[in-house]
Amino acid sequence: MAGVNRPLRVLVVDDDALVRAGLSMMLDGVHGIRVVGEAADGDEVPAAADAHRPDVVLMDLRMPRVDGITATGRLRRRANPPEVIVLTTFDADENILRALRAGASGFLLKDTPPAQIVQAVRQVAAGDPILSPRITRRLMERAAGQAGAYERARAALAVLSPREGEVVVAVARGRSNAEIAAELRMTVATVKAHVSHVLDKLDLDNRTQIALLAHDAGLV
């Protein structure tokens, strides 16, 4: 996570040089954000992450040697991993769901307006996931329809306290920590503590995975 006195550090990963150049040029022109490196394939990501210490990685899904799903999983298993936003051209691509389960903090379509990409980078760096309503609805419906998903999700969530369950539902609805605090009449610090406990109890990596589990369980 970026400190108060330095910009958010972003690593751009895409096999298309024009896409990398466009994203880098756009983000480098924004106050408080700095593109610290680029990678052309998923197999270059570990070395790039070590060299540049990014806070956020913009990750393409389809690359020739190591795809974005595999690269995301490898990153998220590291100590103090960066947040990952996956990028895709196809809003119905089932690999997006796999990328979220691998630990990505969210996803964007490559035709997303620049201002929304900037907001997405800031949002995931602050600990809030990017859940595009149009795409997420389709993914959640597919996830909920998988055989046994409902029962498994319900069983997993049964370990949570009632208050933690309320936080899970709010997270699944895309609420920020501040919004959850207002809705449930608690402090932001308490919300963060509940989210942390939920992640630990359910052995999950991020809020996006909480949202997926809640949708599997039919809570939203």
PDB file of all heavy atoms in Angstrom, residues 81-121:
ATOM      1  N   PRO A  81       1.579  -9.057  -1.067  1.00  0.00           N
ATOM      2  CA  PRO A  81       1.389  -8.971  -2.516  1.00  0.00           C
ATOM      3  C   PRO A  81       0.709  -7.678  -2.931  1.00  0.00           C
ATOM      4  O   PRO A  81      -0.041  -7.075  -2.154  1.00  0.00           O
ATOM      5  CB  PRO A  81       0.468 -10.164  -2.801  1.00  0.00           C
ATOM      6  CG  PRO A  81      -0.345 -10.298  -1.557  1.00  0.00           C
ATOM      7  CD  PRO A  81       0.623  -9.980  -0.435  1.00  0.00           C
ATOM      8  N   PRO A  82       0.939  -7.229  -4.169  1.00  0.00           N
ATOM      9  CA  PRO A  82       0.200  -6.078  -4.684  1.00  0.00           C
ATOM     10  C   PRO A  82      -1.242  -6.475  -4.986  1.00  0.00           C
ATOM     11  O   PRO A  82      -1.557  -7.657  -5.127  1.00  0.00           O
ATOM     12  CB  PRO A  82       0.946  -5.735  -5.979  1.00  0.00           C
ATOM     13  CG  PRO A  82       1.511  -7.045  -6.430  1.00  0.00           C
ATOM     14  CD  PRO A  82       1.877  -7.779  -5.160  1.00  0.00           C
ATOM     15  N   GLU A  83      -2.110  -5.479  -5.077  1.00  0.00           N
ATOM     16  CA  GLU A  83      -3.465  -5.733  -5.549  1.00  0.00           C
ATOM     17  C   GLU A  83      -3.420  -5.928  -7.062  1.00  0.00           C
ATOM     18  O   GLU A  83      -2.572  -5.360  -7.751  1.00  0.00           O
ATOM     19  CB  GLU A  83      -4.385  -4.559  -5.210  1.00  0.00           C
ATOM     20  CG  GLU A  83      -4.464  -4.237  -3.734  1.00  0.00           C
ATOM     21  CD  GLU A  83      -5.088  -5.346  -2.910  1.00  0.00           C
ATOM     22  OE1 GLU A  83      -5.834  -6.156  -3.487  1.00  0.00           O
ATOM     23  OE2 GLU A  83      -4.839  -5.402  -1.701  1.00  0.00           O
ATOM     24  N   VAL A  84      -4.338  -6.742  -7.575  1.00  0.00           N
ATOM     25  CA  VAL A  84      -4.360  -7.035  -9.014  1.00  0.00           C
ATOM     26  C   VAL A  84      -5.729  -6.699  -9.594  1.00  0.00           C
ATOM     27  O   VAL A  84      -6.759  -7.122  -9.063  1.00  0.00           O
ATOM     28  CB  VAL A  84      -4.041  -8.517  -9.299  1.00  0.00           C
ATOM     29  CG1 VAL A  84      -4.137  -8.807 -10.799  1.00  0.00           C
ATOM     30  CG2 VAL A  84      -2.667  -8.894  -8.773  1.00  0.00           C
ATOM     31  N   ILE A  85      -5.730  -5.920 -10.664  1.00  0.00           N
ATOM     32  CA  ILE A  85      -6.931  -5.700 -11.464  1.00  0.00           C
ATOM     33  C   ILE A  85      -6.700  -6.391 -12.790  1.00  0.00           C
ATOM     34  O   ILE A  85      -5.758  -6.068 -13.515  1.00  0.00           O
ATOM     35  CB  ILE A  85      -7.192  -4.203 -11.712  1.00  0.00           C
ATOM     36  CG1 ILE A  85      -7.347  -3.444 -10.404  1.00  0.00           C
ATOM     37  CG2 ILE A  85      -8.424  -4.015 -12.593  1.00  0.00           C
ATOM     38  CD1 ILE A  85      -7.442  -1.937 -10.597  1.00  0.00           C
ATOM     39  N   VAL A  86      -7.544  -7.368 -13.123  1.00  0.00           N
ATOM     40  CA  VAL A  86      -7.390  -8.044 -14.403  1.00  0.00           C
ATOM     41  C   VAL A  86      -8.111  -7.261 -15.488  1.00  0.00           C
ATOM     42  O   VAL A  86      -9.123  -6.612 -15.242  1.00  0.00           O
ATOM     43  CB  VAL A  86      -7.908  -9.494 -14.343  1.00  0.00           C
ATOM     44  CG1 VAL A  86      -7.105 -10.325 -13.367  1.00  0.00           C
ATOM     45  CG2 VAL A  86      -9.382  -9.536 -13.967  1.00  0.00           C
ATOM     46  N   LEU A  87      -7.564  -7.342 -16.694  1.00  0.00           N
ATOM     47  CA  LEU A  87      -8.112  -6.645 -17.845  1.00  0.00           C
ATOM     48  C   LEU A  87      -8.530  -7.661 -18.898  1.00  0.00           C
ATOM     49  O   LEU A  87      -7.816  -8.634 -19.131  1.00  0.00           O
ATOM     50  CB  LEU A  87      -7.066  -5.711 -18.450  1.00  0.00           C
ATOM     51  CG  LEU A  87      -6.569  -4.574 -17.557  1.00  0.00           C
ATOM     52  CD1 LEU A  87      -5.316  -3.958 -18.158  1.00  0.00           C
ATOM     53  CD2 LEU A  87      -7.656  -3.517 -17.418  1.00  0.00           C
ATOM     54  N   THR A  88      -9.653  -7.425 -19.535  1.00  0.00           N
ATOM     55  CA  THR A  88     -10.102  -8.350 -20.565  1.00  0.00           C
ATOM     56  C   THR A  88     -10.901  -7.623 -21.626  1.00  0.00           C
ATOM     57  O   THR A  88     -11.455  -6.552 -21.374  1.00  0.00           O
ATOM     58  CB  THR A  88     -10.966  -9.480 -19.969  1.00  0.00           C
ATOM     59  OG1 THR A  88     -11.334 -10.391 -21.013  1.00  0.00           O
ATOM     60  CG2 THR A  88     -12.230  -8.921 -19.330  1.00  0.00           C
ATOM     61  N   THR A  89     -10.931  -8.204 -22.797  1.00  0.00           N
ATOM     62  CA  THR A  89     -11.738  -7.670 -23.893  1.00  0.00           C
ATOM     63  C   THR A  89     -13.123  -8.294 -23.899  1.00  0.00           C
ATOM     64  O   THR A  89     -14.066  -7.730 -24.449  1.00  0.00           O
ATOM     65  CB  THR A  89     -11.039  -7.947 -25.247  1.00  0.00           C
ATOM     66  OG1 THR A  89      -9.717  -7.418 -25.199  1.00  0.00           O
ATOM     67  CG2 THR A  89     -11.788  -7.309 -26.397  1.00  0.00           C
ATOM     68  N   PHE A  90     -13.265  -9.468 -23.270  1.00  0.00           N
ATOM     69  CA  PHE A  90     -14.483 -10.253 -23.380  1.00  0.00           C
ATOM     70  C   PHE A  90     -15.251 -10.262 -22.065  1.00  0.00           C
ATOM     71  O   PHE A  90     -14.810 -10.838 -21.086  1.00  0.00           O
ATOM     72  CB  PHE A  90     -14.153 -11.694 -23.800  1.00  0.00           C
ATOM     73  CG  PHE A  90     -13.298 -11.748 -25.036  1.00  0.00           C
ATOM     74  CD1 PHE A  90     -11.933 -11.953 -24.937  1.00  0.00           C
ATOM     75  CD2 PHE A  90     -13.860 -11.557 -26.287  1.00  0.00           C
ATOM     76  CE1 PHE A  90     -11.140 -11.993 -26.067  1.00  0.00           C
ATOM     77  CE2 PHE A  90     -13.075 -11.590 -27.421  1.00  0.00           C
ATOM     78  CZ  PHE A  90     -11.713 -11.805 -27.314  1.00  0.00           C
ATOM     79  N   ASP A  91     -16.457  -9.663 -22.051  1.00  0.00           N
ATOM     80  CA  ASP A  91     -17.201  -9.558 -20.802  1.00  0.00           C
ATOM     81  C   ASP A  91     -17.857 -10.872 -20.398  1.00  0.00           C
ATOM     82  O   ASP A  91     -18.329 -11.005 -19.279  1.00  0.00           O
ATOM     83  CB  ASP A  91     -18.237  -8.435 -20.864  1.00  0.00           C
ATOM     84  CG  ASP A  91     -19.322  -8.678 -21.899  1.00  0.00           C
ATOM     85  OD1 ASP A  91     -19.250  -9.683 -22.622  1.00  0.00           O
ATOM     86  OD2 ASP A  91     -20.239  -7.845 -21.981  1.00  0.00           O
ATOM     87  N   ALA A  92     -17.877 -11.866 -21.298  1.00  0.00           N
ATOM     88  CA  ALA A  92     -18.472 -13.156 -20.956  1.00  0.00           C
ATOM     89  C   ALA A  92     -17.404 -14.219 -20.725  1.00  0.00           C
ATOM     90  O   ALA A  92     -17.712 -15.394 -20.561  1.00  0.00           O
ATOM     91  CB  ALA A  92     -19.434 -13.609 -22.058  1.00  0.00           C
ATOM     92  N   ASP A  93     -16.152 -13.834 -20.698  1.00  0.00           N
ATOM     93  CA  ASP A  93     -15.056 -14.786 -20.568  1.00  0.00           C
ATOM     94  C   ASP A  93     -15.076 -15.429 -19.180  1.00  0.00           C
ATOM     95  O   ASP A  93     -14.897 -14.754 -18.173  1.00  0.00           O
ATOM     96  CB  ASP A  93     -13.730 -14.066 -20.796  1.00  0.00           C
ATOM     97  CG  ASP A  93     -12.557 -15.015 -20.963  1.00  0.00           C
ATOM     98  OD1 ASP A  93     -12.644 -16.187 -20.559  1.00  0.00           O
ATOM     99  OD2 ASP A  93     -11.534 -14.563 -21.505  1.00  0.00           O
ATOM    100  N   GLU A  94     -15.264 -16.747 -19.139  1.00  0.00           N
ATOM    101  CA  GLU A  94     -15.347 -17.436 -17.846  1.00  0.00           C
ATOM    102  C   GLU A  94     -14.028 -17.387 -17.095  1.00  0.00           C
ATOM    103  O   GLU A  94     -13.986 -17.584 -15.879  1.00  0.00           O
ATOM    104  CB  GLU A  94     -15.771 -18.885 -18.053  1.00  0.00           C
ATOM    105  CG  GLU A  94     -14.764 -19.721 -18.809  1.00  0.00           C
ATOM    106  CD  GLU A  94     -15.234 -21.144 -19.029  1.00  0.00           C
ATOM    107  OE1 GLU A  94     -16.401 -21.448 -18.725  1.00  0.00           O
ATOM    108  OE2 GLU A  94     -14.424 -21.954 -19.505  1.00  0.00           O
ATOM    109  N   ASN A  95     -12.942 -17.075 -17.792  1.00  0.00           N
ATOM    110  CA  ASN A  95     -11.658 -16.975 -17.111  1.00  0.00           C
ATOM    111  C   ASN A  95     -11.613 -15.813 -16.132  1.00  0.00           C
ATOM    112  O   ASN A  95     -10.782 -15.804 -15.217  1.00  0.00           O
ATOM    113  CB  ASN A  95     -10.527 -16.826 -18.128  1.00  0.00           C
ATOM    114  CG  ASN A  95     -10.224 -18.127 -18.847  1.00  0.00           C
ATOM    115  OD1 ASN A  95     -10.481 -19.203 -18.320  1.00  0.00           O
ATOM    116  ND2 ASN A  95      -9.682 -18.031 -20.041  1.00  0.00           N
ATOM    117  N   ILE A  96     -12.499 -14.823 -16.290  1.00  0.00           N
ATOM    118  CA  ILE A  96     -12.519 -13.710 -15.340  1.00  0.00           C
ATOM    119  C   ILE A  96     -12.857 -14.220 -13.952  1.00  0.00           C
ATOM    120  O   ILE A  96     -12.254 -13.830 -12.959  1.00  0.00           O
ATOM    121  CB  ILE A  96     -13.533 -12.638 -15.776  1.00  0.00           C
ATOM    122  CG1 ILE A  96     -13.173 -12.094 -17.157  1.00  0.00           C
ATOM    123  CG2 ILE A  96     -13.579 -11.502 -14.762  1.00  0.00           C
ATOM    124  CD1 ILE A  96     -14.203 -11.146 -17.722  1.00  0.00           C
ATOM    125  N   LEU A  97     -13.843 -15.111 -13.881  1.00  0.00           N
ATOM    126  CA  LEU A  97     -14.222 -15.679 -12.595  1.00  0.00           C
ATOM    127  C   LEU A  97     -13.059 -16.425 -11.969  1.00  0.00           C
ATOM    128  O   LEU A  97     -12.796 -16.308 -10.773  1.00  0.00           O
ATOM    129  CB  LEU A  97     -15.419 -16.604 -12.776  1.00  0.00           C
ATOM    130  CG  LEU A  97     -15.928 -17.305 -11.520  1.00  0.00           C
ATOM    131  CD1 LEU A  97     -16.324 -16.291 -10.460  1.00  0.00           C
ATOM    132  CD2 LEU A  97     -17.105 -18.212 -11.855  1.00  0.00           C
ATOM    133  N   ARG A  98     -12.327 -17.176 -12.779  1.00  0.00           N
ATOM    134  CA  ARG A  98     -11.159 -17.897 -12.270  1.00  0.00           C
ATOM    135  C   ARG A  98     -10.098 -16.926 -11.767  1.00  0.00           C
ATOM    136  O   ARG A  98      -9.434 -17.181 -10.758  1.00  0.00           O
ATOM    137  CB  ARG A  98     -10.583 -18.794 -13.366  1.00  0.00           C
ATOM    138  CG  ARG A  98     -11.495 -19.946 -13.781  1.00  0.00           C
ATOM    139  CD  ARG A  98     -10.911 -20.714 -14.957  1.00  0.00           C
ATOM    140  NE  ARG A  98      -9.556 -21.142 -14.675  1.00  0.00           N
ATOM    141  CZ  ARG A  98      -8.602 -21.247 -15.608  1.00  0.00           C
ATOM    142  NH1 ARG A  98      -8.861 -20.921 -16.856  1.00  0.00           N
ATOM    143  NH2 ARG A  98      -7.406 -21.650 -15.273  1.00  0.00           N
ATOM    144  N   ALA A  99      -9.951 -15.809 -12.455  1.00  0.00           N
ATOM    145  CA  ALA A  99      -8.964 -14.814 -12.016  1.00  0.00           C
ATOM    146  C   ALA A  99      -9.344 -14.212 -10.674  1.00  0.00           C
ATOM    147  O   ALA A  99      -8.497 -14.009  -9.811  1.00  0.00           O
ATOM    148  CB  ALA A  99      -8.834 -13.720 -13.074  1.00  0.00           C
ATOM    149  N   LEU A 100     -10.645 -13.944 -10.475  1.00  0.00           N
ATOM    150  CA  LEU A 100     -11.096 -13.417  -9.190  1.00  0.00           C
ATOM    151  C   LEU A 100     -10.842 -14.424  -8.082  1.00  0.00           C
ATOM    152  O   LEU A 100     -10.407 -14.069  -6.987  1.00  0.00           O
ATOM    153  CB  LEU A 100     -12.577 -13.057  -9.259  1.00  0.00           C
ATOM    154  CG  LEU A 100     -12.955 -11.910 -10.201  1.00  0.00           C
ATOM    155  CD1 LEU A 100     -14.472 -11.732 -10.229  1.00  0.00           C
ATOM    156  CD2 LEU A 100     -12.276 -10.620  -9.788  1.00  0.00           C
ATOM    157  N   ARG A 101     -11.096 -15.678  -8.353  1.00  0.00           N
ATOM    158  CA  ARG A 101     -10.857 -16.707  -7.343  1.00  0.00           C
ATOM    159  C   ARG A 101      -9.356 -16.904  -7.100  1.00  0.00           C
ATOM    160  O   ARG A 101      -8.958 -17.375  -6.040  1.00  0.00           O
ATOM    161  CB  ARG A 101     -11.516 -18.020  -7.762  1.00  0.00           C
ATOM    162  CG  ARG A 101     -13.049 -17.939  -7.807  1.00  0.00           C
ATOM    163  CD  ARG A 101     -13.670 -19.324  -7.870  1.00  0.00           C
ATOM    164  NE  ARG A 101     -15.115 -19.264  -8.012  1.00  0.00           N
ATOM    165  CZ  ARG A 101     -15.968 -19.024  -7.043  1.00  0.00           C
ATOM    166  NH1 ARG A 101     -15.530 -18.781  -5.825  1.00  0.00           N
ATOM    167  NH2 ARG A 101     -17.277 -19.012  -7.272  1.00  0.00           N
ATOM    168  N   ALA A 102      -8.538 -16.541  -8.067  1.00  0.00           N
ATOM    169  CA  ALA A 102      -7.077 -16.633  -7.889  1.00  0.00           C
ATOM    170  C   ALA A 102      -6.556 -15.518  -7.001  1.00  0.00           C
ATOM    171  O   ALA A 102      -5.399 -15.562  -6.575  1.00  0.00           O
ATOM    172  CB  ALA A 102      -6.376 -16.596  -9.244  1.00  0.00           C
ATOM    173  N   GLY A 103      -7.401 -14.509  -6.739  1.00  0.00           N
ATOM    174  CA  GLY A 103      -6.987 -13.453  -5.830  1.00  0.00           C
ATOM    175  C   GLY A 103      -7.002 -12.049  -6.391  1.00  0.00           C
ATOM    176  O   GLY A 103      -6.580 -11.109  -5.705  1.00  0.00           O
ATOM    177  N   ALA A 104      -7.477 -11.889  -7.630  1.00  0.00           N
ATOM    178  CA  ALA A 104      -7.561 -10.537  -8.186  1.00  0.00           C
ATOM    179  C   ALA A 104      -8.561  -9.707  -7.395  1.00  0.00           C
ATOM    180  O   ALA A 104      -9.553 -10.218  -6.888  1.00  0.00           O
ATOM    181  CB  ALA A 104      -7.979 -10.596  -9.652  1.00  0.00           C
ATOM    182  N   SER A 105      -8.300  -8.418  -7.297  1.00  0.00           N
ATOM    183  CA  SER A 105      -9.185  -7.516  -6.562  1.00  0.00           C
ATOM    184  C   SER A 105     -10.352  -7.040  -7.411  1.00  0.00           C
ATOM    185  O   SER A 105     -11.239  -6.361  -6.904  1.00  0.00           O
ATOM    186  CB  SER A 105      -8.396  -6.295  -6.070  1.00  0.00           C
ATOM    187  OG  SER A 105      -7.375  -6.696  -5.200  1.00  0.00           O
ATOM    188  N   GLY A 106     -10.355  -7.378  -8.675  1.00  0.00           N
ATOM    189  CA  GLY A 106     -11.447  -6.985  -9.544  1.00  0.00           C
ATOM    190  C   GLY A 106     -11.041  -7.070 -10.993  1.00  0.00           C
ATOM    191  O   GLY A 106     -10.023  -7.669 -11.340  1.00  0.00           O
ATOM    192  N   PHE A 107     -11.853  -6.505 -11.852  1.00  0.00           N
ATOM    193  CA  PHE A 107     -11.538  -6.543 -13.266  1.00  0.00           C
ATOM    194  C   PHE A 107     -12.170  -5.362 -13.980  1.00  0.00           C
ATOM    195  O   PHE A 107     -13.124  -4.757 -13.506  1.00  0.00           O
ATOM    196  CB  PHE A 107     -12.015  -7.847 -13.898  1.00  0.00           C
ATOM    197  CG  PHE A 107     -13.502  -8.076 -13.754  1.00  0.00           C
ATOM    198  CD1 PHE A 107     -14.400  -7.509 -14.655  1.00  0.00           C
ATOM    199  CD2 PHE A 107     -13.986  -8.839 -12.707  1.00  0.00           C
ATOM    200  CE1 PHE A 107     -15.774  -7.702 -14.503  1.00  0.00           C
ATOM    201  CE2 PHE A 107     -15.358  -9.024 -12.553  1.00  0.00           C
ATOM    202  CZ  PHE A 107     -16.241  -8.464 -13.447  1.00  0.00           C
ATOM    203  N   LEU A 108     -11.597  -5.056 -15.150  1.00  0.00           N
ATOM    204  CA  LEU A 108     -12.096  -3.995 -16.004  1.00  0.00           C
ATOM    205  C   LEU A 108     -12.082  -4.486 -17.445  1.00  0.00           C
ATOM    206  O   LEU A 108     -11.244  -5.315 -17.816  1.00  0.00           O
ATOM    207  CB  LEU A 108     -11.208  -2.748 -15.922  1.00  0.00           C
ATOM    208  CG  LEU A 108     -11.058  -2.055 -14.571  1.00  0.00           C
ATOM    209  CD1 LEU A 108      -9.970  -0.981 -14.685  1.00  0.00           C
ATOM    210  CD2 LEU A 108     -12.378  -1.426 -14.144  1.00  0.00           C
ATOM    211  N   LEU A 109     -12.975  -3.958 -18.252  1.00  0.00           N
ATOM    212  CA  LEU A 109     -12.876  -4.163 -19.688  1.00  0.00           C
ATOM    213  C   LEU A 109     -11.862  -3.177 -20.248  1.00  0.00           C
ATOM    214  O   LEU A 109     -11.673  -2.089 -19.714  1.00  0.00           O
ATOM    215  CB  LEU A 109     -14.235  -3.947 -20.348  1.00  0.00           C
ATOM    216  CG  LEU A 109     -15.322  -4.966 -19.995  1.00  0.00           C
ATOM    217  CD1 LEU A 109     -16.626  -4.605 -20.694  1.00  0.00           C
ATOM    218  CD2 LEU A 109     -14.895  -6.379 -20.370  1.00  0.00           C
ATOM    219  N   LYS A 110     -11.222  -3.556 -21.336  1.00  0.00           N
ATOM    220  CA  LYS A 110     -10.193  -2.692 -21.897  1.00  0.00           C
ATOM    221  C   LYS A 110     -10.752  -1.420 -22.516  1.00  0.00           C
ATOM    222  O   LYS A 110      -9.991  -0.487 -22.790  1.00  0.00           O
ATOM    223  CB  LYS A 110      -9.349  -3.466 -22.917  1.00  0.00           C
ATOM    224  CG  LYS A 110      -8.425  -4.483 -22.264  1.00  0.00           C
ATOM    225  CD  LYS A 110      -7.524  -5.157 -23.267  1.00  0.00           C
ATOM    226  CE  LYS A 110      -6.561  -6.111 -22.565  1.00  0.00           C
ATOM    227  NZ  LYS A 110      -5.682  -6.824 -23.509  1.00  0.00           N
ATOM    228  N   ASP A 111     -12.067  -1.370 -22.732  1.00  0.00           N
ATOM    229  CA  ASP A 111     -12.658  -0.141 -23.250  1.00  0.00           C
ATOM    230  C   ASP A 111     -13.203   0.749 -22.129  1.00  0.00           C
ATOM    231  O   ASP A 111     -13.939   1.701 -22.384  1.00  0.00           O
ATOM    232  CB  ASP A 111     -13.762  -0.443 -24.271  1.00  0.00           C
ATOM    233  CG  ASP A 111     -14.933  -1.227 -23.674  1.00  0.00           C
ATOM    234  OD1 ASP A 111     -14.875  -1.554 -22.466  1.00  0.00           O
ATOM    235  OD2 ASP A 111     -15.887  -1.516 -24.415  1.00  0.00           O
ATOM    236  N   THR A 112     -12.835   0.437 -20.884  1.00  0.00           N
ATOM    237  CA  THR A 112     -13.253   1.273 -19.751  1.00  0.00           C
ATOM    238  C   THR A 112     -12.690   2.684 -19.913  1.00  0.00           C
ATOM    239  O   THR A 112     -11.516   2.853 -20.238  1.00  0.00           O
ATOM    240  CB  THR A 112     -12.744   0.664 -18.435  1.00  0.00           C
ATOM    241  OG1 THR A 112     -13.309  -0.627 -18.261  1.00  0.00           O
ATOM    242  CG2 THR A 112     -13.129   1.541 -17.249  1.00  0.00           C
ATOM    243  N   PRO A 113     -13.488   3.722 -19.688  1.00  0.00           N
ATOM    244  CA  PRO A 113     -12.991   5.099 -19.797  1.00  0.00           C
ATOM    245  C   PRO A 113     -11.804   5.341 -18.871  1.00  0.00           C
ATOM    246  O   PRO A 113     -11.739   4.791 -17.768  1.00  0.00           O
ATOM    247  CB  PRO A 113     -14.204   5.943 -19.385  1.00  0.00           C
ATOM    248  CG  PRO A 113     -15.387   5.087 -19.701  1.00  0.00           C
ATOM    249  CD  PRO A 113     -14.935   3.684 -19.399  1.00  0.00           C
ATOM    250  N   PRO A 114     -10.853   6.172 -19.316  1.00  0.00           N
ATOM    251  CA  PRO A 114      -9.647   6.427 -18.505  1.00  0.00           C
ATOM    252  C   PRO A 114      -9.938   6.855 -17.079  1.00  0.00           C
ATOM    253  O   PRO A 114      -9.263   6.403 -16.145  1.00  0.00           O
ATOM    254  CB  PRO A 114      -8.943   7.536 -19.296  1.00  0.00           C
ATOM    255  CG  PRO A 114      -9.347   7.287 -20.714  1.00  0.00           C
ATOM    256  CD  PRO A 114     -10.777   6.821 -20.633  1.00  0.00           C
ATOM    257  N   ALA A 115     -10.924   7.723 -16.882  1.00  0.00           N
ATOM    258  CA  ALA A 115     -11.216   8.198 -15.524  1.00  0.00           C
ATOM    259  C   ALA A 115     -11.622   7.040 -14.616  1.00  0.00           C
ATOM    260  O   ALA A 115     -11.291   7.027 -13.420  1.00  0.00           O
ATOM    261  CB  ALA A 115     -12.316   9.254 -15.557  1.00  0.00           C
ATOM    262  N   GLN A 116     -12.342   6.058 -15.156  1.00  0.00           N
ATOM    263  CA  GLN A 116     -12.756   4.908 -14.357  1.00  0.00           C
ATOM    264  C   GLN A 116     -11.578   3.991 -14.050  1.00  0.00           C
ATOM    265  O   GLN A 116     -11.538   3.356 -12.993  1.00  0.00           O
ATOM    266  CB  GLN A 116     -13.872   4.162 -15.068  1.00  0.00           C
ATOM    267  CG  GLN A 116     -15.173   4.937 -15.161  1.00  0.00           C
ATOM    268  CD  GLN A 116     -16.281   4.133 -15.826  1.00  0.00           C
ATOM    269  OE1 GLN A 116     -16.263   2.906 -15.840  1.00  0.00           O
ATOM    270  NE2 GLN A 116     -17.256   4.839 -16.387  1.00  0.00           N
ATOM    271  N   ILE A 117     -10.629   3.899 -14.970  1.00  0.00           N
ATOM    272  CA  ILE A 117      -9.426   3.102 -14.704  1.00  0.00           C
ATOM    273  C   ILE A 117      -8.625   3.742 -13.568  1.00  0.00           C
ATOM    274  O   ILE A 117      -8.153   3.053 -12.659  1.00  0.00           O
ATOM    275  CB  ILE A 117      -8.565   2.975 -15.967  1.00  0.00           C
ATOM    276  CG1 ILE A 117      -9.317   2.172 -17.042  1.00  0.00           C
ATOM    277  CG2 ILE A 117      -7.227   2.301 -15.646  1.00  0.00           C
ATOM    278  CD1 ILE A 117      -8.570   2.054 -18.361  1.00  0.00           C
ATOM    279  N   VAL A 118      -8.494   5.052 -13.619  1.00  0.00           N
ATOM    280  CA  VAL A 118      -7.794   5.766 -12.550  1.00  0.00           C
ATOM    281  C   VAL A 118      -8.489   5.523 -11.213  1.00  0.00           C
ATOM    282  O   VAL A 118      -7.838   5.218 -10.198  1.00  0.00           O
ATOM    283  CB  VAL A 118      -7.735   7.274 -12.854  1.00  0.00           C
ATOM    284  CG1 VAL A 118      -7.216   8.043 -11.637  1.00  0.00           C
ATOM    285  CG2 VAL A 118      -6.847   7.539 -14.061  1.00  0.00           C
ATOM    286  N   GLN A 119      -9.815   5.658 -11.196  1.00  0.00           N
ATOM    287  CA  GLN A 119     -10.565   5.435  -9.963  1.00  0.00           C
ATOM    288  C   GLN A 119     -10.392   4.000  -9.479  1.00  0.00           C
ATOM    289  O   GLN A 119     -10.292   3.739  -8.273  1.00  0.00           O
ATOM    290  CB  GLN A 119     -12.043   5.743 -10.186  1.00  0.00           C
ATOM    291  CG  GLN A 119     -12.940   5.480  -8.991  1.00  0.00           C
ATOM    292  CD  GLN A 119     -12.524   6.285  -7.762  1.00  0.00           C
ATOM    293  OE1 GLN A 119     -11.999   7.393  -7.901  1.00  0.00           O
ATOM    294  NE2 GLN A 119     -12.750   5.739  -6.580  1.00  0.00           N
ATOM    295  N   ALA A 120     -10.362   3.048 -10.411  1.00  0.00           N
ATOM    296  CA  ALA A 120     -10.197   1.642 -10.047  1.00  0.00           C
ATOM    297  C   ALA A 120      -8.854   1.402  -9.364  1.00  0.00           C
ATOM    298  O   ALA A 120      -8.769   0.689  -8.363  1.00  0.00           O
ATOM    299  CB  ALA A 120     -10.322   0.765 -11.290  1.00  0.00           C
ATOM    300  N   VAL A 121      -7.811   1.992  -9.897  1.00  0.00           N
ATOM    301  CA  VAL A 121      -6.479   1.838  -9.300  1.00  0.00           C
ATOM    302  C   VAL A 121      -6.481   2.376  -7.874  1.00  0.00           C
ATOM    303  O   VAL A 121      -5.985   1.722  -6.944  1.00  0.00           O
ATOM    304  CB  VAL A 121      -5.426   2.560 -10.161  1.00  0.00           C
ATOM    305  CG1 VAL A 121      -4.086   2.645  -9.418  1.00  0.00           C
ATOM    306  CG2 VAL A 121      -5.239   1.841 -11.488  1.00  0.00           C
TER     307      VAL A 121
END
